[in-house]
């Protein structure tokens, strides 16, 4: 799911891609989208963008002399699970382009598209940020920090710190991968009580005798949780690109994957929090972990996974062969029956060698053994050469 850094990267992309382009005509919405129509039409307008937390504002501004004469229109987007912006040829629109803005140039004509595969993204007319979202962790750090520390009595901080970090009233822009990376760097158990973690920050004071540069160096070398809520998203933005999913380009995704230290990284453990979201961590989960839950550990890529790796309750061992050909192909190759370990005991030469399981194979082995025993009995029976004759 796109988080604060991805919204800022998307805003940067829109501003760079649309710089110098003139758009015209009506804004076009796909018929399958449940979002509102955009009542905007102009003979010439430009597009600009800015992001705040997990929201992005797109502003459509008519150029001088454009008809009809009208005021700029702003839209606020929330990307949901798969939202993104793409600039594509008007004749080859990407799939799931649910809102489209067309350029005036005919050679070639382009379209800025809001693309959303799963259709969880939303846009609202008017350009107002959602009122229940707090200050942006990236652009409004001082206000963000003050908003958290001033409201620690709120019931939101009764919850585990990993769940509080997803509350957009206080941590606008933090999402699932960011919370894992932030807590991992500070070695904070994800299910420690949020208020317990944050109250200690209220009383932190740097030595007033330190110079400004010394204070900045100390903060950069030993940032607290709220400072990391600002610095870690900033690192992702500095990686560049348009997003962190593999669909945004393997190069972008490779850089992001190399940057991760905890989220979905081999050797880390994971648990579902009380909201059903997966949190990645290392070590003790903390006292508020969901009762009876079992945390999983991601296998290292260097180890070869077994057929039941990742199962919380592996199935019992199979005692007999499956009758289906596909299942038989998955069975391990059979070898000869194991030899006894005790000295002096030798393997019975008449015992069948187990090479293959199956009715037909067993029947052949039984027939072979029967013929051997019959030949042996015949060889051991009295014959004419021994001088014994039958009565006439």
């Amino acid at each position: 799911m796109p988080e604060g850094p991805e919204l800022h990267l998307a805003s940067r992309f829109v501003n760079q891609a649309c710089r110098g382009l003139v758009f015209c005509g009506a804004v076009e919405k796909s018929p399958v989208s449940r979002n509102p129509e955009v009542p905007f039409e102009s003979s010439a307008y430009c597009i600009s963008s800015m992001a705040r937390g997990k929201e992005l504002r797109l502003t459509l501004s008519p150029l001088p002399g454009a008809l009809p004469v009208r005021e700029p229109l702003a839209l606020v987007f929330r990307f949901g699970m798969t939202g993104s912006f793409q600039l594509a040829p008007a004749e080859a629109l990407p799939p799931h382009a649910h809102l489209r803005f067309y350029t005036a140039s005919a050679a070639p004509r382009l379209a800025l598209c809001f693309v959303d595969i799963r259709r969880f993204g939303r846009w609202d007319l008017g350009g107002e940020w959602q009122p229940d979202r707090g200050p942006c962790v990236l652009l409004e750090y001082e206000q963000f920090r003050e908003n958290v520390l001033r409201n620690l009595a709120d019931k939101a901080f009764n919850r585990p710190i990993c769940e509080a970090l997803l509350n957009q009233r206080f941590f606008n822009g933090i999402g699932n991968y960011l919370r894992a990376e932030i807590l991992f760097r500070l070695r904070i158990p994800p299910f420690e009580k949020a208020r317990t973690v944050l109250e200690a920050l209220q009383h932190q004071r740097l030595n007033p005798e330190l110079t400004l540069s010394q204070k900045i160096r100390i903060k950069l070398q030993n940032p607290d949780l709220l400072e990391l809520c600002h610095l870690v998203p900033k690192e992702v933005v500095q990686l560049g690109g348009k997003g962190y999913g593999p669909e945004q380009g393997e190069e972008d995704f490779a850089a992001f994957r190399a940057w991760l230290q905890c989220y979905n990284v081999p050797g880390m453990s994971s648990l579902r929090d009380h909201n059903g979201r997966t949190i990645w961590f290392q070590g003790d989960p903390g006292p508020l972990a969901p009762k009876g839950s079992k945390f999983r550990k991601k296998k290292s890529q260097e180890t070869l996974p077994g057929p039941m790796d990742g199962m919380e309750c592996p199935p019992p061992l199979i005692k007999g062969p499956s009758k289906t050909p596909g299942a038989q192909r998955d069975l391990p190759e059979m070898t000869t029956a194991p030899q006894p370990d005790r000295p002096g005991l030798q393997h019975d030469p008449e015992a069948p060698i187990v090479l293959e399981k199956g009715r037909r194979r067993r029947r052949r082995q039984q027939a072979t053994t029967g013929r051997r025993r019959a030949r042996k009995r015949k060889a051991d029976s009295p014959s004419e050469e021994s001088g014994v004759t039958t009565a006439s």
Side-chain angles (χ1 to χ4, degrees):
M1 177 184 293
E3 303 182 16
E6 286 70 51
L7 271 292
H8 283 76
L9 287 169
S11 178
R12 178 189 294 177
F13 165 75
V14 169
N15 287 329
Q16 292 176 349
C18 296
R19 184 178 296 122
L21 294 180
V22 175
F23 294 80
C24 73
V27 178
E28 190 174 271
K29 183 179 81 77
S30 71
V32 298
S33 174
R34 296 182 180 180
N35 283 298
E37 296 282 349
V38 178
F40 183 90
E41 185 171 358
S42 175
S43 60
Y45 67 95
C46 61
I47 295 179
S48 60
S49 173
M50 71 171 295
R52 179 180 183 268
K54 285 192 177 184
E55 295 180 294
L56 180 148
R57 178 191 288 156
L58 211 63
T59 303
L60 316 180
S61 303
L63 297 176
L67 296 175
V69 177
R70 58 164 304 148
E71 294 295 320
L73 176 69
L75 307 169
V76 171
F77 290 80
R78 291 175 295 282
F79 282 17
M81 294 288 290
T82 56
S84 67
F85 277 98
Q86 296 182 30
L87 188 66
E91 302 301 324
L93 294 175
H96 313 287
H98 296 301
L99 199 63
R100 305 179 283 269
F101 310 86
Y102 292 96
T103 62
S105 173
R109 196 180 188 203
L110 302 174
L112 178 69
C113 306
F114 179 66
V115 179
D116 187 11
I117 298 173
R118 300 188 66 179
R119 285 189 274 166
F120 290 153
R122 294 288 181 267
W123 62 78
D124 293 323
L125 305 178
E128 297 295 329
W129 305 118
Q130 282 189 315
D132 57 346
R133 289 180 180 267
C136 175
V137 296
L138 268 167
L139 301 181
E140 302 165 320
Y141 170 68
E142 294 298 337
Q143 300 95 309
F144 150 70
R145 186 181 184 92
E146 181 185 355
N147 183 48
V148 172
L149 297 180
R150 187 180 64 245
N151 291 287
L152 286 184
D154 193 280
K155 63 181 181 181
F157 298 103
N158 294 334
R159 303 181 70 84
I161 185 62
C162 68
E163 296 175 17
L165 283 170
L166 297 184
N167 190 323
Q168 300 301 294
R169 289 171 54 208
F170 302 105
F171 298 91
N172 187 13
I174 300 298
N176 207 24
Y177 81 80
L178 285 174
R179 67 170 178 172
E181 296 299 315
I182 291 166
L183 294 175
F184 172 76
R185 293 192 186 190
L186 295 173
R187 300 299 188 266
I188 295 175
F191 291 94
E192 184 63 68
K193 190 174 183 179
R195 188 176 294 106
T196 302
V197 174
L198 294 167
E199 276 181 338
L201 307 186
Q202 288 181 314
H203 311 295
Q204 285 185 357
R205 295 289 186 273
L206 290 177
N207 187 343
E209 297 181 359
L210 296 174
T211 65
L212 179 59
S213 61
Q214 289 173 329
K215 291 179 180 180
I216 293 174
R217 185 167 62 250
I218 289 174
K219 283 183 173 292
L220 291 176
Q221 291 174 349
N222 302 284
D224 61 32
L225 186 140
L226 296 180
E227 287 165 342
L228 282 184
C229 286
H230 170 68
L231 295 174
V232 173
K234 199 172 179 180
E235 290 179 14
V236 180
V237 173
Q238 290 170 349
L239 291 175
K242 291 185 292 182
Y244 70 92
E247 69 278 358
Q248 302 294 343
E250 182 57 35
E251 184 177 349
D252 289 352
F253 184 55
F256 174 78
R257 186 169 48 199
W259 171 85
L260 290 171
Q261 299 180 33
C262 177
Y263 179 80
N264 203 26
V265 170
M268 297 297 163
S269 302
S270 65
L271 259 178
R272 289 192 180 274
D273 63 21
H274 296 91
N275 298 317
R277 302 287 302 277
T278 300
I279 174 68
W280 295 86
F281 62 96
Q282 186 179 57
D284 180 23
L288 299 183
K291 301 299 182 184
S293 57
K294 297 180 180 179
F295 62 87
R296 299 168 294 171
K297 194 164 187 177
K298 187 173 179 66
K299 296 291 182 181
S300 173
Q301 294 176 346
E302 284 78 15
T303 60
L304 295 176
M308 292 177 286
D309 281 345
M311 297 185 183
E312 292 185 359
C313 298
L317 293 176
I318 299 173
K319 295 182 179 179
S322 170
K323 296 181 181 180
T324 61
Q328 287 185 5
R329 284 195 298 269
D330 293 335
L331 289 174
E333 182 181 355
M334 302 303 294
T335 59
T336 57
Q339 300 288 335
D341 295 331
R342 290 176 292 171
L345 292 179
Q346 298 189 7
H347 177 61
D348 182 4
E350 300 293 338
I353 298 176
V354 182
L355 295 174
E356 176 184 322
K357 290 188 177 182
R359 292 181 181 178
R360 193 173 296 175
R361 184 66 183 177
R362 286 197 296 271
R363 287 174 181 170
R364 287 200 299 269
Q365 291 170 348
Q366 290 170 358
T368 302
T369 303
R371 288 195 293 270
R372 289 177 181 172
R373 289 175 177 169
R375 286 196 296 270
K376 186 176 181 181
R377 285 195 298 269
K378 185 175 181 181
D380 293 341
S381 62
S383 62
E384 294 180 352
E385 294 177 358
S386 62
V388 178
T389 58
T390 58
S392 56

